[in-house]
Amino acid sequence: MKNDKSFDAGPGVRMHDDASVTELADFVEKAVEGLHRVGPDGTILWANRAELQMLGYRWEEYVGRHIAEFHADPSTIDHILTTLLSGGALYDQPARLRCKDGSIKRVLIHSNGHFEDGELRYTRCFTRDATERHERDVALAQRDAMLLNAPVAAALLVGPELRFHLANRRYCELVDCSDLKGKTFVEAFPQVQGSAVAEAIARVYRSGEAFNEEELALTVAGADGVAQERFFRLSLEPLLGADGRPEGVILVQVEVTEHVRNRQAIERAQREREQLLVDLSAASQAKDEFLAMLGHELRNPLSPIVTALQLMRMRGDGSHGREGEIIGRQVDHLVRLVDDLLDVSKVTRGKIELKIERVELAQALGKAVEMASLLIEQRRHRLEVEIAPGVLWEGDPVRLAQVVSNLLTNAARYTEPGGQIRLQARRDGNDAVVSVRDTGIGLAPEVRGQVFDLFFQGKRSIDRAEGGLGIGLALVKNIVELHGGRVEARSEGRGLGSEFVVRLPLQRGAGMLAPALAAAPLLPAAQVAPQRVLLVDDNADGADTLGRLLRAHGHQVEVYYDPVTALAALERLRPTVALLDIGLPVLDGYQLAARIRATDAGRDCRLVALSGYGQEADRERSRACGFERHLVKPISPDDAARVVAGGERSA
């Protein structure tokens, strides 16, 4: 070997001519695998280009130095040199070599010695990069460790015969068998041969496609030998080789018997609950229908009585003056009772409608005082009124007057004659606060939670002064809530008077029932590109109100109360925007969105979710299902108009 970069065939190698020597030198120099020679003292005598490039050294940095300088493990180079000096050979000897950049390269070394007269002259070494092999071995070891330490039952079947390569402790406990390694699945469990489980494992190996079963039912012998049905969650994943072909199957199995049993019990209870709700709903509907019928039937005799009283007054002969006044007062009271009866029937059936106006609060409250003044005067109460001027409110002034009139009437009934009643109204931030306080009999703590229940009546004196049906406060609560507000009953106890506080938003929300209101566009129609809007919501009043609002903005809107009818109209309408209530019957909003996206008519349609739930998880689910916006009820009219117009696209 010469001490330069040229290749010498070395002693004992006979070449026919210089051309052959040159050709061989060129071959080994340009070989893709690393080659080098090492002298008997460990000095590197020669290295080819692949060897130098693999480790990153120049010729003069590598050749002429001791081989031990480049080995990261002294014991390994000692073993290599000892083996070669003794005349042995090395095959696939793992080693770690230091690269010029300081990194460590994992390699496999093949080497043997060249001897003359029994003396080692040099060794011939082949160095192969084993980085990928090492990484693969590490990955396999990590995979096996992960399966062995998995918190669920896991096993690995390999080869076309699907033999157990490993099974962790949980799996062995689950199948009550510890001697599995090396056995095929059928050998380990002969009782499942030909079963759905065995066929699924074989199919995953053949096809390379995963298989999952959430509730796989298996009949298993228990500890007492009695067969029992158990349920498992089974997951089969193909183990693919470097060429993409299946090499085995990873099996994960979790027993879910208790979960299934609990779910079945819940489903039975749910069915019983649903049947109970059906029965209660039928009873409630019969009650509502009876109330509606009773109210209307009572109006028939009241109408001629009122007419007759008017004729008596027109005659003016005074013969029935005192009696006529008595009849008039009692008929007025009866009319109020019938009106309350009809109103509560509408409320319980969701038929009440609000006619929204922008009014001064004092105007509606003045009407309420007028309506209740007769009873207050008859009971000789002192009424104090404090209403802040200039407070503007959006709502139904007639219904608000009804609310406050009922509260005033209630205070008059439950306060001994000569008592005191105070009506106050003020603005508190974005709300209007109306309170009615009296010096009456008060409310016991256990009663305060019941006063707004339908047909609830508190204790009254024996004269039942202007008694009612126990529906006035139920009406108050329902009408206030329809306006987006709330009402609260307060009292320090029996004999200490009561206070009812109503809190109402000064401006209405878009979710409020407002069929009488025609919303004005927020922007001139010329500034908004008209959209074809599909609106689906099973709340007919809410859907109709929102539809009218969007039409007022110049959009073409079609409103549907169920998803099936909406899908049938999709091809004809070809909407550009779809507003979908999430809580729809038959198909929920997520399923309906998927159906719309799957059609040519709805592929490019923008989707907007309407929901009463607004947590981040709800918004994230909407985004995942393709909705570009998630509007939470009650919906702001401004937000709805901007979203449909395309002004806001983020969910």
Side-chain angles (χ1 to χ4, degrees), residues 45-121:
L45 304 176
W46 171 85
N48 73 347
R49 185 183 306 170
E51 177 96 0
L52 296 172
Q53 289 178 345
M54 179 172 59
L55 301 178
Y57 294 104
R58 297 194 303 273
W59 173 273
E60 60 272 16
E61 294 172 333
Y62 193 64
V63 176
R65 306 184 68 167
H66 197 278
I67 190 66
E69 296 181 32
F70 302 97
H71 274 264
D73 301 310
S75 59
T76 299
I77 189 59
D78 289 345
H79 169 70
I80 292 174
L81 293 175
T82 300
T83 301
L84 295 174
L85 285 171
S86 65
L90 298 171
Y91 299 95
D92 279 345
Q93 169 65 48
R96 298 191 307 147
L97 299 181
R98 292 190 180 91
C99 298
K100 182 178 179 180
D101 62 6
S103 62
I104 299 296
K105 178 77 69 176
R106 291 182 179 270
V107 299
L108 293 175
I109 295 175
H110 306 267
S111 184
N112 56 29
H114 175 75
F115 290 82
E116 291 183 3
D117 299 328
E119 182 179 353
L120 178 66
R121 293 299 185 89

Side-chain angles (χ1 to χ4, degrees), residues 196-217:
V197 176
E199 292 179 359
I201 294 174
R203 186 169 59 253
V204 170
Y205 181 81
R206 290 194 307 269
S207 66
E209 296 179 357
F211 172 83
N212 290 282
E213 179 65 54
E214 291 297 317
E215 293 179 7
L216 178 68

Side-chain angles (χ1 to χ4, degrees), residues 581-644:
D581 179 35
I582 295 301
L584 290 170
V586 184
L587 295 174
D588 62 30
Y590 304 120
Q591 295 169 321
L592 179 57
R595 295 282 187 92
I596 292 174
R597 277 279 190 257
T599 65
D600 290 336
R603 183 172 293 111
D604 298 324
C605 178
R606 293 191 292 120
L607 300 177
V608 179
L610 310 178
S611 175
Y613 299 95
Q615 299 296 320
E616 183 56 33
D618 306 309
R619 298 179 185 274
E620 183 60 35
R621 184 177 180 187
S622 292
R623 282 193 290 268
C625 290
F627 288 96
E628 72 172 37
R629 285 280 288 167
H630 183 101
L631 300 182
V632 181
K633 297 179 179 180
I635 301 161
S636 164
D638 293 358
D639 286 348
R642 278 193 291 268
V643 168
V644 170

Side-chain angles (χ1 to χ4, degrees), residues 138-432:
V138 170
L140 292 176
Q142 291 176 340
R143 178 204 66 192
D144 290 354
M146 180 186 68
L147 291 176
L148 287 172
N149 296 315
V152 295
L156 175 58
L157 307 169
V158 298
E161 294 182 336
L162 296 171
R163 295 186 179 276
F164 278 97
H165 173 69
L166 62 84
N168 69 2
R169 178 179 57 81
R170 289 182 178 272
Y171 185 83
C172 293
E173 291 174 350
L174 182 66
V175 300
D176 193 24
C177 182
S178 58
D179 185 19
L180 292 173
K181 190 169 183 178
K183 294 181 179 179
T184 67
F185 188 79
V186 174
E187 288 173 348
F189 309 109
Q191 69 274 18
V192 302
Q193 185 170 9
S195 68
V197 176
E199 292 179 359
I201 294 174
R203 186 169 59 253
V204 170
Y205 181 81
R206 290 194 307 269
S207 66
E209 296 179 357
F211 172 83
N212 290 282
E213 179 65 54
E214 291 297 317
E215 293 179 7
L216 178 68
L218 294 176
T219 301
V220 181
D224 55 0
V226 178
Q228 55 180 313
E229 187 179 47
R230 292 164 64 184
F231 294 88
F232 300 89
R233 180 180 295 118
L234 181 65
S235 175
L236 302 175
E237 291 287 339
L239 179 66
L240 303 179
D243 58 358
R245 296 180 180 179
E247 294 183 347
V249 176
I250 298 174
L251 184 153
V252 177
Q253 190 169 337
V254 179
E255 183 165 7
V256 293
T257 302
E258 184 177 357
H259 167 76
V260 173
R261 297 278 187 256
N262 290 338
R263 195 201 71 241
Q264 291 173 342
I266 292 172
E267 288 174 349
R268 286 194 299 271
Q270 180 69 15
R271 288 193 295 270
E272 295 172 357
R273 175 182 175 275
E274 289 174 354
Q275 184 58 50
L276 178 60
L277 290 175
V278 168
D279 296 341
L280 291 174
S281 178
S284 178
Q285 182 177 357
K287 178 258 297 177
D288 293 340
E289 291 174 353
F290 170 76
L291 289 177
M293 178 273 297
L294 178 61
H296 285 289
E297 289 298 320
L298 288 175
R299 281 190 179 275
N300 290 330
L302 281 175
S303 181
I305 294 174
V306 172
T307 303
L309 283 172
Q310 183 63 25
L311 289 173
M312 290 167 58
R313 295 191 187 98
M314 291 174 62
R315 283 199 297 269
D317 56 9
S319 58
H320 302 287
R322 176 60 178 165
E323 293 82 354
E325 290 178 4
I326 295 173
I327 295 173
R329 285 197 302 270
Q330 298 306 316
V331 168
D332 288 343
H333 178 58
L334 185 56
V335 168
R336 286 199 303 274
L337 294 178
V338 173
D339 287 342
D340 283 351
L341 196 60
L342 287 173
D343 281 342
V344 79
S345 175
K346 290 180 182 179
V347 167
T348 55
R349 290 183 297 155
K351 299 296 184 181
I352 196 167
E353 295 182 350
L354 301 180
K355 295 177 174 58
I356 306 301
E357 300 178 27
R358 186 175 178 82
V359 298
E360 189 168 347
L361 193 63
Q363 176 183 340
L365 299 187
K367 180 64 177 177
V369 172
E370 179 183 339
M371 294 166 62
S373 60
L374 180 61
L375 179 59
I376 293 174
E377 292 174 1
Q378 289 175 348
R379 302 282 291 172
R380 303 189 308 280
H381 297 314
R382 184 170 68 258
L383 175 64
E384 297 180 7
V385 179
E386 297 180 14
I387 302 175
V391 178
L392 295 179
W393 172 73
E394 288 184 2
D396 189 330
V398 175
R399 291 297 182 182
L400 178 58
Q402 183 182 9
V403 165
V404 178
S405 172
N406 277 351
L407 293 178
L408 290 171
T409 301
N410 192 70
R413 288 173 180 166
Y414 290 95
T415 300
E416 294 298 324
Q420 182 175 344
I421 301 173
R422 173 175 292 181
L423 169 63
Q424 293 178 304
R426 58 185 174 83
R427 176 173 185 157
D428 183 14
N430 294 322
D431 294 338

